[in-house]
Amino acid sequence: MTEVYLSPFGPKGGDKRGVRVAAEGGATLTVGELLWKAMAIQFPLLASRNPVRGVGLYRLGLQGGIPSYYLWGSRSRLDDHVG
């Protein structure tokens, strides 16, 4: 995979618009690169508040034919609602 959309969340847990990220040099995205880019997108939106614990990338669907993922904690939003 060479590019994806990452959808961060705000300080109260609300969704923010997806950000398109691409692999450096046009190669494939590594796990480390993906997590680094996710942190760079998410961190400015949280300030000192963080409504979740841990970190996770969860499949959201497609955005313009490109895979998209939402950023959240170590448990998905579904897990948080179910139990």
Side-chain angles (χ1 to χ4, degrees), residues 37-61:
K37 290 178 184 234
M39 186 271 309
I41 292 166
Q42 185 62 66
F43 185 76
L45 299 172
L46 292 181
S48 62
R49 293 188 58 182
N50 189 356
V52 299
R53 296 174 112 173
V55 63
L57 298 167
Y58 302 94
R59 184 62 188 251
L60 191 57

Side-chain angles (χ1 to χ4, degrees):
M1 178 168 22
T2 60
E3 59 186 357
V4 298
Y5 276 93
L6 298 176
S7 297
F9 58 93
K12 295 181 182 178
D15 295 329
K16 299 294 182 182
R17 185 180 195 139
V19 177
R20 190 174 184 170
V21 298
E24 297 295 322
T28 59
L29 277 165
T30 65
V31 171
E33 184 179 11
L34 187 59
L35 288 174
W36 183 258
K37 290 178 184 234
M39 186 271 309
I41 292 166
Q42 185 62 66
F43 185 76
L45 299 172
L46 292 181
S48 62
R49 293 188 58 182
N50 189 356
V52 299
R53 296 174 112 173
V55 63
L57 298 167
Y58 302 94
R59 184 62 188 251
L60 191 57
L62 295 173
Q63 188 170 335
I66 297 171
S68 63
Y69 298 85
Y70 70 90
L71 306 177
W72 198 245
S74 59
R75 291 173 44 120
S76 74
R77 287 180 177 167
L78 176 63
D79 287 340
D80 286 346
H81 289 301
V82 172

